[in-house]
Amino acid sequence: MTKQRKFSYLLNFIGVAVVFAILSALFAFNGFGDSTTYVEGVCTTACYTIVMVASLNLVVGFMGEFSLGHAGFVSVGAYTAAIVSNALAGKGLSDLALLIVAVLAGGIVAGLAGMLVGIPALRLRGDYLAIVTMAFAEIIRVVFCNLEITGGGRTMSGILKLSTFGRTFWIMVVCVTIMFLFVRSRFGRTVQAIREDYIAAEASGINVTFYKVMTFAISSFFAGVGGALYAHYMTAMIPTNFNFNYSAELLSEVIIGGTGSLTGSVIGAAFLSALPELMRQFSTYRMLGYSVVLVLVMLFRPGGIFGHWEFSLTRALKALPTLPQKLSRATAKKPKAAAATAKKKGE
């Protein structure tokens, strides 16, 4: 790793730490008044949603496959983590240690489920893969509805509330960082090569099935992590929460943020998680406004808000000194263009 890249990573980490410090200070000193607890809850929801959406982007954006069953892997992680934390409660573990153990358990089981589904399913492509993943999510939902340990179709309550804003925020940062490093690694570049030309990659000797199953399992692991954080924040779950609509919601956040952009996943998930809550006072038109935003983004930014572009604080700081020069050049070009237009009209 070059010194320039190390400096870039350090600078971006400092930026993330500053954002966390500002939000924590606002929550600690009641910066939003009576709405402080409510805003903190919205931010916590956005954090675990970012993990879910970014993990789905690994499949949809970077691998180029269409999955409609992501809610199934989220539910596997959520229920596994809830069962593990309830079993280990009172065993001498601190709340943070208990959350980490539960999150890892949820992620590992969801990752194994993703591998089991991916081995046969990822030999398919396009609509066929979408149908198989959607069927898997429905099978998981029905199974959870008939298991006594998950509540047997009723609400599973009494889950420990371990997902505070601080813990959820930093787990989200770690997860997104690992996914970013995976995308930038040799394995990630191979997966993107498969996305660009499946036949050429296979002809080059790349084991396409292996890389697709590996990416699908990694995506499922982080979906399970997001589900674990969800379970320990909501403290109650019902299998119908993880239906097809939830998978479609996560997919829409990926597409709006930008397929192939983890920055887009972060912004898309944060924005669309907060939007319904911010519009809750307009309860009659809340879902209408939500839908209008989706349509407008698709009309004017069909590639998503960020497309394939990733935000970097280092790049942004480098662009600041040249910004006045660019603006002055643009301003100088306008009179010249206007004079040229007037000259043509005179002729």
Side-chain angles (χ1 to χ4, degrees), residues 208-225:
V208 172
T209 302
F210 167 77
Y211 281 100
K212 289 173 69 174
V213 171
M214 177 186 67
T215 306
F216 199 75
I218 292 172
S219 170
S220 302
F221 171 85
F222 287 111
V225 170

Side-chain angles (χ1 to χ4, degrees), residues 37-50:
T37 303
Y38 174 74
V39 174
E40 185 175 2
V42 171
C43 291
T44 306
T45 301
C47 287
Y48 64 68
T49 305
I50 286 170

Side-chain angles (χ1 to χ4, degrees), residues 124-183:
L124 305 171
R125 300 188 68 199
D127 299 340
Y128 303 103
L129 178 61
I131 292 170
V132 170
T133 53
M134 182 174 64
F136 163 75
E138 287 301 302
I139 291 170
I140 289 296
R141 185 179 63 81
V142 172
V143 169
F144 285 155
C145 284
N146 290 276
L147 289 178
E148 185 178 350
I149 196 171
T150 60
R154 299 183 299 275
T155 302
M156 182 181 182
S157 57
I159 304 170
L160 299 173
K161 193 175 181 66
L162 302 174
S163 296
T164 61
F165 169 72
R167 295 168 186 166
T168 307
F169 181 91
W170 286 112
I171 291 175
M172 178 269 293
V173 170
V174 171
C175 290
V176 173
T177 301
I178 294 173
M179 284 185 268
F180 177 80
L181 293 175
F182 169 76
V183 168

